[in-house]
Amino acid sequence: MSNRGAGAGAVAGTLLLGPMGGLIGGWLGKGSGMSKAAEKEELARLGFTPETAKIAKELVYDLRDTEEALELALDVSRNARQKAERLQSEAEAFYDRAKEALEADREEEAREFLTQRQNRLDELPDAENEAVASEGRESELRLIVMQLGERLNEIESLTTRMAAGQATKAALEGGAMDGTIKDPSLEQWDKDRK
């Protein structure tokens, strides 16, 4: 697994703070350090069903892959923009050199500089189109990363509600609310009343 995967695990971990962040980092890194049974128990404690855990895991992997693609798109976009800027700058420099050569009555040299300038200007539209296209891919990938993050947050919210519901159910069934656990102060009060 690459370091990029661990980095994406950290990003996903920040989306789902707390114990879930450790599990996500484990999915993408070198492991959570938990046995499969312990991980399954922890996921259940956090309100994950096997299905929601599977969906969350797939979203985390998709997030990792999309962030890696975004890193590459950023590099391509930066390189394409730099190439377009370099071609523009070189065309301007060749034009200045051609002017200087003409002022010094070196027409052949001036023609050579103008040819070089034109070569750069001929390459410029393709470089600018590549820069625009790569910036478009970068924007699309940023949107996908944002959407995956939102989906992970939705799953976190769902599992939190599920865990709260399970805790409430356990409290209601566990004696505190059904009368099987007695409060000693209430028992004393009942005795005093009689």
Side-chain angles (χ1 to χ4, degrees):
M1 179 101 4
S2 71
N3 287 338
R4 287 182 177 177
V11 170
T14 61
L15 291 171
L16 298 171
L17 298 174
M20 191 58 206
L23 290 172
I24 288 174
W27 288 340
L28 296 176
K30 296 186 185 225
S32 63
M34 294 182 179
S35 68
K36 290 288 183 191
E39 183 176 314
K40 185 176 179 180
E41 185 178 309
E42 181 65 7
L43 285 168
R45 185 187 70 77
L46 293 170
F48 280 82
T49 64
E51 293 80 17
T52 56
K54 181 180 179 188
I55 291 169
K57 200 176 230 186
E58 288 173 2
L59 285 171
V60 167
Y61 289 142
D62 288 347
L63 178 61
R64 177 202 58 201
D65 294 344
T66 305
E67 286 187 333
E68 287 177 0
L70 178 58
E71 282 184 42
L72 293 172
L74 288 169
D75 288 343
V76 168
S77 181
R78 187 174 26 257
N79 291 339
R81 182 57 53 205
Q82 288 172 350
K83 181 180 180 181
E85 290 169 0
R86 179 184 52 81
L87 288 170
Q88 182 65 43
S89 176
E90 287 176 4
E92 290 170 9
F94 279 121
Y95 181 76
D96 292 341
R97 291 173 76 185
K99 275 185 8 182
E100 290 172 11
L102 276 176
E103 289 169 2
D105 290 328
R106 297 187 316 259
E107 288 184 28
E108 189 61 38
E109 192 176 329
R111 264 194 279 283
E112 178 68 29
F113 289 139
L114 289 173
T115 300
Q116 292 296 328
R117 175 182 185 259
Q118 190 58 48
N119 290 342
R120 299 315 185 272
L121 291 175
D122 289 345
E123 292 179 46
L124 188 57
D126 288 340
E128 288 175 338
N129 288 339
E130 178 58 33
V132 169
S134 63
E135 288 168 358
R137 287 189 296 273
E138 176 188 331
S139 294
E140 289 172 9
L141 289 169
R142 284 184 192 279
L143 178 63
I144 292 169
V145 166
M146 185 182 74
Q147 290 170 338
L148 289 171
E150 288 172 359
R151 298 246 351 249
L152 282 167
N153 284 330
E154 290 169 6
I155 288 176
E156 178 189 30
S157 176
L158 172 69
T159 57
T160 300
R161 287 193 310 269
M162 289 174 67
Q166 290 170 352
T168 301
K169 181 180 175 189
L172 291 173
E173 293 173 349
M177 300 298 282
D178 68 1
T180 58
I181 297 177
K182 299 290 184 191
D183 182 347
S185 60
L186 290 177
E187 288 179 4
Q188 184 62 41
W189 183 72
D190 282 342
K191 285 181 188 175
D192 292 342
R193 260 188 43 203
K194 291 181 184 177

